[in-house]
Amino acid sequence: MTNLHAEQLEQALQLHQSSTVRSLIDGINPADLADLMQHLSLKAQLSLIEQIDSAALVMEFLPLHSQHQIAEAMAPQQLVKLISAMPSDDRTDLFKLLSPHLQRFVSLHITEEKRAQIQTLARYPEESAGAIMSSDFVVLSPELNMQQAIDELRRMTTDRETLYLIYIVDELMKLLGVISLREIIQNPPEQKIKNVMRTDLVTGLVTEDQESIAQKLSHYDFLALPIVDDAQHLLGIVTYDDAMDVVQAETTEDFLKSSAVASSPGMSIKTAPILLLYRKRVFWLVILVFGSLLSGIGIAHYEDTIAAHIVLVFFLPLLVGSGGNAGSQSATLMVRALATGDVQFKDWLHLLGRESLVALCLGGTMAFAVSILGYYRGDMMVSVVLALSMLGIVLMGCLIGMSLPFILHRLKLDPASASAPLVTSICDATGVVVYLFIASQLLL
Amino acid sequence: MTNLHAEQLEQALQLHQSSTVRSLIDGINPADLADLMQHLSLKAQLSLIEQIDSAALVMEFLPLHSQHQIAEAMAPQQLVKLISAMPSDDRTDLFKLLSPHLQRFVSLHITEEKRAQIQTLARYPEESAGAIMSSDFVVLSPELNMQQAIDELRRMTTDRETLYLIYIVDELMKLLGVISLREIIQNPPEQKIKNVMRTDLVTGLVTEDQESIAQKLSHYDFLALPIVDDAQHLLGIVTYDDAMDVVQAETTEDFLKSSAVASSPGMSIKTAPILLLYRKRVFWLVILVFGSLLSGIGIAHYEDTIAAHIVLVFFLPLLVGSGGNAGSQSATLMVRALATGDVQFKDWLHLLGRESLVALCLGGTMAFAVSILGYYRGDMMVSVVLALSMLGIVLMGCLIGMSLPFILHRLKLDPASASAPLVTSICDATGVVVYLFIASQLLL
């Protein structure tokens, strides 16, 4: 349906049938219109942007690279109008991508206030609160009463929904309190803001990590978090929708790391260049070769044992694989629990104790199963070797999987790098040695 | 610091020093107070709940099992007061856990309206929009003007922030439109709602899956989504903070699945019973044994080749492991892209083509590396066998990893079950056969 819609729209735009265009996009939500636009040619996109009133709103929902393409292709004068209507955080992100020539043009033609906003916001490092905060917040003085506040808000021309939390500041923009629009509406008209506003403020520091800001928003269920400098001056706000985007991006990063793919903000497997995908994956694949080499060295060391009991090779993948699988489970449980804040690093010893119990149960079950297989395929002695090895391998796998995220954290590395492939490689090498050592002791 | 704070608070509560208690909790945000409460004894929790005005708000931030514990321990009459002040969705969740005796008592003593709400909300199945929606929404008639709307809102006694989106309904609660509080404030006082309200509504169906509701909220950046029945009657709303919780829970589920741990909503590795953790993990571990057995069978089949060229065993973990690692990467990239909506199932063929190119690059790199190792450890022929095997194994691993999520989807299973351990097991078995087949052809 979307494809058909897009084709009709493309045609109507090419033929300049503005009434058809209007009827096709009538009542479509900006977010959906942005989706639709991505099926259009650049020429049609430009023509559409010219025709719609909510162009700035639609732009926000487009991926940054599409915004950039459109901005570079449109008439500079028109771009100034469009970019002026965008919210300050999105405006700054787009501005930073423009060619130097266009940046100069836009700077010259937007209002002084907006130019200053861009300069301020562009200054903050990536991944900091400053880089995602918006300047579209509403401030009032503590001395106003509720009726005056409503009158003031009524005069403001913003079309953003950021006026539900109103920040109360002094003349130097120092943050004093916060009041919600609900409280302004529901308190008696002559009541003063300073008597109602909440002063137990939760704020974010402008240099704070985005992830920590997003966690605060989600922890307190806030609509927006005020961002301040060291002296408590209000610089901007981060809204819940931006926080949701941050959470989604961070989660994808952790997800990819869990299978040893290097993170790449905003990378799409549908459109990313083949060589980028290659680069994101080859690093860990090659690193992991060394882990496997250790397994090979372990095997080579016990070559005589293997040659004498070739049946051992039959069970090698099973035993070694089980250790890796159990270890991956432990590592993922741990990495995710750390990411959601369910556990902290100080819980490690306690968790290691619990994990040992779980591992004993898992190892016991697996040992029992494999010992039966061993008895049928080999003999009683093989069965004992398999059961003992399985128990040892699963136990070690779990403890390695549980410990690796903590060790990485201690080494100031990201615990999420304790990926399933990494854990598997380490557990494989350990498993080979445990298995063949036990076999060499009991079978010769 | 929290621990010290908790100890002081515990003591003050035990000794009934209410002024000390007050000074200790003064200015603490309800979310933080809930965190603090979890360090207190049940007795102290009860005493604290009795003393604070915002008890219902604090309850919302407590985990459900703590809410339940407190509810069962407190005086029934007091519970009625507390549960009445909670938002309707949380109230219903707690009510469902109460003992039959307490349920009867609460039903008898809360208002008729709230009893009806509980009955309605409790009816919807888990994981549906109905199960997380709230009845705390605000409706107005389309005939009111802005001033009348403000007067109406002022009279409402809600202390919830859910009145920023106001739903416009007819006498039968059929949803006609939506207007934001900002629009009510900023339009001329005599303007009628029906001339301003938006009618291009995005709604959720009461039977719709929670995950789909959360995706809509995040896609459109809405504060809340109205939930309707088939005939467009407004039944409730789902707010952005509930959507964030759903996203977090679903992500954790996918994460655990990615390492073959069965999902368990709300399970914490810190507190879950050992046997529950065991059960969540043993199923896949045992299943994966069969995958490893296939590897073993492959090895057994080529026993003669191995016996003749024991050097092959040295490289077995390396080759087979690389296939599993590359396959895990592919599967995780795919599962995550499906979860975030970045790719759809119809993109599969296109993606398979791209993946083949990436796999060729990865396999080529790995083949080159392993052929050098093979030359030093064995001879020219071994080196050729290794290079060819590596290329084939990585290529197959990637294609298996990319295809498995799609196959699971076709079989009506969750694509996220294409876990790293599962992919690794399948790739291992395939890898063994590819490697030893090539070796048996070229080396004998």
Side-chain angles (χ1 to χ4, degrees), chain B residues 37 42 45-46 49 62 66-74:
Chain B
M37 267 185 71
L42 181 59
Q45 289 181 353
L46 285 170
I49 284 284
L62 285 173
S66 304
Q67 290 181 31
H68 181 207
Q69 232 177 8
I70 292 172
E72 295 281 348
M74 74 197 302

Side-chain angles (χ1 to χ4, degrees), chain A residues 364-440:
Chain A
T365 310
M366 305 287 284
F368 175 71
V370 80
S371 67
I372 296 174
L373 285 175
Y375 185 73
Y376 278 103
R377 178 92 198 170
D379 54 27
M380 195 59 199
M381 227 29 221
V382 169
S383 163
V384 170
V385 167
L386 290 176
L388 283 178
S389 303
M390 184 61 105
L391 191 63
I393 286 172
V394 169
L395 195 56
M396 290 202 55
C398 289
L399 298 184
I400 290 170
M402 179 107 330
S403 309
L404 199 58
F406 285 99
I407 294 170
L408 288 171
H409 175 75
R410 270 302 170 93
L411 298 174
K412 310 256 181 239
L413 297 169
D414 184 351
S417 299
S419 63
L422 180 60
V423 171
T424 303
S425 291
I426 297 176
C427 291
D428 280 2
T430 325
V432 164
V433 174
V434 170
Y435 175 38
L436 293 178
F437 172 77
I438 292 178
S440 71

Side-chain angles (χ1 to χ4, degrees), chain A residues 180-239:
Chain A
S180 73
L181 186 52
R182 175 185 66 76
E183 291 165 317
I184 290 184
I185 298 275
Q186 294 189 333
N187 273 287
E190 59 290 343
Q191 176 69 271
K192 284 209 170 184
I193 286 183
K194 64 176 173 192
N195 301 327
V196 178
M197 68 182 190
R198 274 164 291 161
T199 52
D200 53 332
L201 290 167
V202 179
T203 58
L205 214 55
V206 69
T207 48
E208 203 171 323
D209 190 68
Q210 288 179 10
E211 204 172 351
S212 141
I213 300 287
Q215 271 169 2
K216 275 189 193 168
L217 266 159
S218 138
H219 176 70
Y220 295 107
D221 285 349
F222 284 157
L223 270 175
L225 194 72
I227 305 297
V228 296
D229 63 14
D230 292 321
Q232 207 56 13
H233 294 109
L234 182 61
L235 301 176
I237 58 169
V238 173
T239 52

Side-chain angles (χ1 to χ4, degrees), chain A residues 71-217:
Chain A
E72 295 281 346
M74 74 196 303
Q77 206 48 261
Q78 234 201 318
L79 173 62
V80 171
K81 229 180 87 193
L82 181 65
I83 209 171
S84 295
M86 290 173 68
S88 58
D89 47 350
D90 296 310
R91 182 195 305 139
T92 308
D93 291 340
L94 177 56
F95 182 87
K96 285 199 276 187
L97 288 182
L98 295 179
S99 63
H101 160 78
L102 261 182
Q103 287 190 343
R104 258 195 314 276
F105 187 89
V106 170
S107 291
L108 274 174
H109 290 84
I110 55 171
T111 65
E112 196 167 335
E113 183 199 354
K114 283 176 181 155
R115 181 166 59 245
Q117 270 180 1
I118 290 180
Q119 282 166 355
T120 312
L121 291 182
R123 209 172 51 205
Y124 297 105
E126 297 282 315
E127 307 268 307
S128 74
I132 49 165
M133 74 184 181
S134 153
S135 310
D136 305 316
F137 53 84
V138 176
V139 295
L140 289 176
S141 146
E143 299 300 332
L144 298 183
N145 68 32
M146 300 299 149
Q147 188 54 53
Q148 290 167 322
I150 293 180
D151 294 342
E152 193 77 29
L153 293 173
R154 192 168 274 150
R155 271 196 296 276
M156 292 181 182
T157 51
T158 177
D159 61 345
R160 307 284 155 195
E161 305 295 336
T162 47
L163 76 156
Y164 297 134
L165 287 175
I166 293 136
Y167 298 97
I168 311 305
V169 293
D170 67 11
E171 301 74 34
L172 295 170
M173 282 296 280
K174 195 166 154 175
L175 186 60
L176 303 175
V178 64
I179 188 167
S180 73
L181 186 52
R182 175 185 66 76
E183 291 165 317
I184 290 184
I185 298 275
Q186 294 189 333
N187 273 287
E190 59 290 343
Q191 176 69 271
K192 284 209 170 184
I193 286 183
K194 64 176 173 192
N195 301 327
V196 178
M197 68 182 190
R198 274 164 291 161
T199 52
D200 53 332
L201 290 167
V202 179
T203 58
L205 214 55
V206 69
T207 48
E208 203 171 323
D209 190 68
Q210 288 179 10
E211 204 172 351
S212 141
I213 300 287
Q215 271 169 2
K216 275 189 193 168
L217 266 159

Side-chain angles (χ1 to χ4, degrees), chain B residues 285-414:
Chain B
L285 282 187
V286 171
I287 292 287
L288 292 172
V289 162
F290 294 97
S292 307
L293 273 181
L294 289 180
S295 299
I297 292 170
I299 291 175
H301 186 258
Y302 290 103
E303 227 165 59
D304 300 340
T305 313
I306 294 172
H309 305 276
I310 206 88
V311 62
L312 291 177
V313 183
F314 177 78
F315 287 104
L316 188 66
L318 171 54
L319 284 169
V320 164
S322 299
N325 291 339
S328 303
Q329 290 182 332
S330 308
T332 303
L333 279 167
M334 182 59 55
V335 167
R336 184 63 188 160
L338 285 168
T340 58
D342 185 25
V343 305
Q344 275 87 46
F345 286 96
K346 62 179 168 55
D347 300 322
W348 182 46
L349 258 185
H350 172 64
L351 289 170
L352 209 62
R354 289 171 57 85
E355 181 67 13
S356 307
L357 288 178
V358 177
L360 274 178
C361 299
L362 291 173
T365 311
M366 304 287 285
F368 175 72
V370 81
S371 68
I372 296 176
L373 285 176
Y375 184 74
Y376 278 104
R377 177 93 197 171
D379 55 26
M380 195 59 197
M381 231 24 228
V382 169
S383 162
V384 171
V385 166
L386 290 176
L388 282 178
S389 304
M390 183 60 103
L391 191 63
I393 286 173
V394 169
L395 195 57
M396 290 201 56
C398 288
L399 298 185
I400 290 171
M402 178 108 333
S403 308
L404 199 58
F406 286 97
I407 295 171
L408 289 170
H409 176 74
R410 270 300 170 94
L411 299 175
K412 312 256 179 237
L413 297 169
D414 184 350

Side-chain angles (χ1 to χ4, degrees), chain A residues 56-72:
Chain A
L57 212 54
V58 174
M59 283 288 273
E60 287 172 48
F61 284 103
L62 284 173
L64 205 50
H65 68 88
S66 303
Q67 291 180 31
H68 180 209
Q69 236 177 4
I70 292 171
E72 295 281 346

Side-chain angles (χ1 to χ4, degrees), chain A residues 32 220 223 272 278 329 354 365, chain B residues 32 220 223 260 272 278 354 365:
Chain A
D32 291 327
Y220 295 107
L223 270 175
Y278 166 78
Q329 291 181 332
R354 289 172 55 87
T365 310
Chain B
D32 291 328
Y220 295 108
L223 269 175
Y278 166 78
R354 289 171 57 85
T365 311

